[in-house]
Amino acid sequence: MTLTAQLLDGKALAQKMQAELAEQVRVLQVQRGRPPGLAVLMVGDNPASAAYVRNKERACTNVGIASFGKHFPADTTQTELEAVIQSLNQDDRVDGILVQLPLPDHLNAVALLNQILPEKDADGLHPTNLGRLVRGEAGLRSCTPAGVMRLLQEYEIDPKGKQAVVIGRSILVGKPQALLLLEANATVTIAHSKTPDLGAIARTADILIVAVGRPLLITAEQVKPGAVVVDVGMNRILDETGKGRLVGDVDFNSVQSVASFLTPVPGGVGPMTVTMLLQNTVQSYLQRG
Ligand SMILES: NC(=O)c1ccc[n+]([C@@H]2O[C@H](COP(=O)([O-])OP(=O)(O)OC[C@H]3O[C@@H](n4cnc5c(N)ncnc54)[C@H](OP(=O)(O)O)[C@@H]3O)[C@@H](O)[C@H]2O)c1
């Protein structure tokens, strides 16, 4: 097999989109007298979450979105957080609210997410926005799957009529991803931990999206020659020297010789997720008037 995949460069597309958003925000805030605002709420000290939150806040600064983020100690109660969300719901300077997951065990994440006003639901995870996605209505879309769709579009990969396989069925990624592919007229299969013979299912895919959280889960033998492979996974592993490294769910080295297009990790889906969060915040800002 001599085919070598073309990279789906999420980092480059994210930079381009963020520059466009910055220009849009620069013009709009003069007209409207205020910038868009995003509140990222973080509870506890999970180092990976802290890094994601820093990334999101840095990206906000780059495009001119005001940050109203708050960092709470690990023992913050459900009632305290609900009160914070209620006050952000009322705050006219805030267009988007995001609760960084995972939360400490004593907190009920679903109940908290449900408190966010659907029109400020920057992560697109509120039942109203997920319901709109199921119904094919306009609404705020989950950032990671929306970022994957935007990346496919950039490389003129049209899912229409294609066999798409999504591995993973979480509310955060797998399920909304499958619905977005369906909306784009792909024929969609969803695989998960109870799927027997994952390889046989994966090999049917013209477009394979892997969102599991297991390093090297997908190797070249499980990929149809010429398939488009999108690796959503983000796994921190220790390399031979004991240094931490970020890898996806796909064995990049073997799959790049079989796939036609492939996302790198890092530099693929991750930067797109952050960019779609910024885009959702600007969309809410425009719609809220
Ligand atoms: N790049 C980004 O911006 C971004 C954003 C979000 C998440 N992620 C990464 O994406 C990955 C998935 O995230 P998530 O939140 O969706 O994770 P999750 O909630 O843990 O869901 C993982 C899914 O994978 C399935 N699964 C587990 N083991 C499997 C196996 N051996 N074979 C097939 N399916 C298997 C699970 O099946 P069951 O439902 O049967 O348990 C579940 O549906 C993680 O690495 C996460 O860090 C990246």
Side-chain angles (χ1 to χ4, degrees):
M1 185 62 58
T2 52
L3 197 67
T4 297
Q6 184 178 344
L7 283 189
L8 294 169
D9 190 342
K11 190 173 170 196
L13 176 56
Q15 275 167 1
K16 181 177 97 168
M17 289 177 69
Q18 288 187 23
E20 287 165 4
L21 279 171
E23 180 54 22
Q24 196 185 359
V25 167
R26 197 181 61 75
V27 173
L28 283 169
Q29 74 170 322
V30 175
Q31 291 166 2
R32 294 177 174 231
R34 72 166 181 94
L38 175 67
V40 179
L41 306 183
M42 173 165 168
V43 186
D45 297 310
N46 180 325
S49 293
Y52 297 146
V53 169
R54 271 198 306 277
N55 254 340
K56 289 169 185 173
E57 290 182 341
R58 198 176 308 130
C60 278
T61 306
N62 289 345
V63 304
I65 292 176
S67 282
F68 294 87
K70 293 193 170 88
H71 188 170
F72 300 92
D75 61 356
T76 307
T77 65
Q78 185 87 9
T79 313
E80 285 168 329
L81 287 167
E82 283 180 6
V84 171
I85 290 175
Q86 291 306 336
S87 111
L88 291 167
N89 279 342
Q90 306 296 323
D91 189 334
D92 282 338
R93 300 165 305 164
V94 176
D95 303 288
I97 304 168
L98 176 155
V99 177
Q100 184 66 41
L101 301 175
L103 290 171
D105 288 345
H106 69 282
L107 293 169
N108 180 342
V110 173
L112 277 181
L113 295 178
N114 289 356
Q115 296 281 321
I116 297 173
L117 275 181
E119 57 268 35
K120 293 193 178 188
D121 171 34
D123 238 353
L125 297 178
H126 189 281
T128 298
N129 284 317
L130 288 171
R132 286 174 179 150
L133 171 60
V134 172
R135 295 176 63 105
E137 294 170 3
L140 292 165
R141 301 296 194 227
S142 317
C143 299
T144 300
V148 170
M149 298 307 288
R150 181 64 187 82
L151 195 52
L152 295 179
Q153 185 197 352
E154 184 70 8
Y155 286 83
E156 296 178 356
I157 298 162
D158 184 358
K160 183 176 168 187
K162 304 266 174 30
Q163 290 287 340
V165 174
V166 179
I167 310 182
R169 56 173 166 179
S170 71
I171 284 290
L172 190 61
V173 190
K175 280 183 190 164
Q177 185 71 72
L179 287 162
L180 284 172
L181 285 160
L182 190 62
E183 194 170 65
N185 296 313
T187 302
V188 184
T189 303
I190 308 176
H192 46 78
S193 70
K194 309 293 185 291
T195 301
D197 202 352
L198 187 68
I201 303 277
R203 265 192 305 278
T204 65
D206 303 310
I207 299 175
L208 179 63
I209 317 277
V210 192
V212 171
R214 302 258 160 121
L216 307 182
L217 179 75
I218 295 298
T219 58
E221 298 73 54
Q222 291 150 312
V223 174
K224 179 173 167 177
V228 174
V229 180
V230 176
D231 188 355
V232 179
M234 292 208 295
N235 309 291
R236 269 167 216 288
I237 58 160
L238 292 180
D239 68 14
E240 316 75 54
T241 66
K243 259 180 64 182
R245 192 159 67 90
L246 194 65
V247 298
D249 294 341
V250 173
D251 176 16
F252 186 92
N253 288 337
S254 74
V255 170
Q256 58 96 25
S257 64
V258 181
S260 58
F261 289 90
L262 176 60
T263 52
V265 178
V269 177
M272 291 305 298
T273 298
V274 177
T275 305
M276 299 317 282
L277 173 67
L278 305 177
Q279 189 162 295
N280 275 353
T281 305
V282 173
Q283 186 183 325
S284 300
Y285 167 77
L286 286 170
Q287 278 165 359
R288 292 181 61 249

